[in-house]
Amino acid sequence: MLTDKIAVVTGASRGIGREIAVTLASKGAVVIVNYNGSAARAEEVVKEIEEAGGKAEAVQCNVSEFAKSAELMDYVVKKYGRVDILVNNAGITRDHLLMKMSEEDFDAVIDTNLKGAFNCIKNISRQMLKQKSGRIINISSVSGVMGNAGQVNYSASKAGVIGMTKAVAREMATRGITCNAVAPGFIVTEMTDVLSDTIKENITNQIPMRRFGQTKDVANLVAFLASEEAGYITGQVVGVDGGMAM
Ligand code: NAP
């Protein structure tokens, strides 16, 4: 159980982040449902959590902006006194083959997926060190482990998240703070809904289980990594991918 733990989930208005927020709340955590543009959908997540008897609050923040991320963390610490769990889930894609990928496509994906995670970790690290406890879980991707054609920017950002996870884990290991990465394979969300049927079929053929995963598959692992039971696990990259990256 995560009774009364304070959890910040970035990009929790939809998809995997939404499921993580609902799952952590169902285990007793008070969840900060972060979003960037989807205010109404973030409020829906809060409503769903509250109707199930849990506690949550939606807070807008573009995590790619360092100062805004600092404001988010300051707000949470001021209001709730601590942050026990940080899930860096906010992420975007701007897929193109290298020949057609613009500098803007590259920068936007790095800024959100990699720098966004850095910003949030950096801006809560002092508080977690003070607490002498914390769980940081970064959502990477199978694309960061294997590389993926059409995703030079995204693969770089998600591989970067893995390196950052290991470095943070090493720095924080003696301070009661764990830092792990979760590397989902292809999960049914709006991010993968946009893929054409042909691409979906090609991908499915590369998955030993021959199917996409569900958001719950990722959320269950995140909830475990956030728990007391996972206290001796740090610096790991755990796949949730139907066997794709074995
Ligand atoms: P999604 O359905 O597109 O949702 C993305 C979420 O990120 C939304 O809540 C969005 O909020 C938020 N977000 C985007 N930019 C943000 C920013 N600058 N600041 C704060 N929030 C921001 O994506 P998903 O499929 O659930 O993916 C979630 C995470 O899992 C991402 O990191 C993704 O790379 C990773 N992942 C996904 C898959 C997959 O197959 N779906 C596989 C591997 C890894 P707004 O709506 O408010 O903008």
Side-chain angles (χ1 to χ4, degrees):
M1 289 304 282
L2 300 171
T3 313
D4 297 332
K5 298 284 184 197
I6 309 301
V8 176
V9 183
T10 70
S13 53
R14 350 183 227 118
I16 293 171
R18 177 189 178 118
E19 195 74 47
I20 291 170
V22 169
T23 303
L24 297 182
S26 75
K27 296 183 185 295
V30 178
V31 181
I32 310 309
V33 175
N34 161 253
Y35 66 96
N36 185 22
S38 307
R41 297 184 67 177
E43 290 300 342
E44 270 174 37
V45 180
V46 170
K47 196 165 162 231
E48 181 182 336
I49 289 171
E50 286 176 347
E51 280 175 2
K55 292 185 193 134
E57 176 180 351
V59 183
Q60 194 281 335
C61 170
N62 180 347
V63 295
S64 70
E65 293 181 33
F66 186 82
K68 296 286 179 197
S69 148
E71 276 174 28
L72 167 69
M73 296 307 166
D74 289 350
Y75 169 79
V76 177
V77 171
K78 205 163 178 195
K79 180 157 178 186
Y80 297 95
R82 54 192 296 118
V83 170
D84 301 293
I85 301 160
L86 166 65
V87 184
N88 284 307
N89 165 83
I92 59 167
T93 51
R94 293 276 187 280
D95 296 356
H96 290 293
L97 291 172
L98 181 59
M99 288 303 142
K100 287 195 171 168
M101 185 172 287
S102 68
E103 184 184 3
E104 288 72 27
D105 292 330
F106 187 82
D107 288 348
V109 169
I110 297 291
D111 282 353
T112 301
N113 300 8
L114 181 56
K115 185 152 182 274
F118 167 77
N119 290 344
C120 292
I121 294 171
K122 165 76 185 167
N123 286 319
I124 204 55
S125 56
R126 194 178 298 276
Q127 174 63 29
M128 283 188 172
L129 287 169
K130 209 161 94 186
Q131 292 168 193
K132 297 189 174 63
S133 71
R135 292 273 188 273
I136 300 169
I137 298 147
N138 299 321
I139 306 301
S140 176
S141 167
V142 73
S143 301
V145 178
M146 301 170 72
N148 190 23
Q151 291 196 312
V152 165
N153 50 1
Y154 185 81
S155 300
S157 74
K158 293 300 186 178
V161 162
I162 290 173
M164 191 163 65
T165 298
K166 292 178 182 179
V168 170
R170 285 186 187 277
E171 287 193 20
M172 305 287 192
T174 59
R175 317 295 283 273
I177 300 163
T178 67
C179 183
N180 291 288
V182 170
F186 286 80
I187 307 295
V188 180
T189 69
E190 287 168 33
M191 190 178 271
T192 52
D193 282 350
V194 297
L195 301 172
S196 71
D197 286 346
T198 318
I199 290 179
K200 280 186 190 160
E201 201 184 319
N202 286 343
I203 291 166
T204 305
N205 287 332
Q206 296 170 50
I207 305 170
M209 288 188 185
R210 294 286 184 272
R211 60 179 173 85
F212 277 33
Q214 301 296 323
T215 53
K216 197 79 198 160
D217 297 321
V218 181
N220 287 337
L221 174 61
V222 171
F224 173 68
L225 290 172
S227 72
E228 293 295 329
E229 287 82 356
Y232 198 56
I233 302 172
T234 198
Q236 302 304 303
V237 184
V238 188
V240 188
D241 62 3
M244 193 171 184
M246 73 174 88

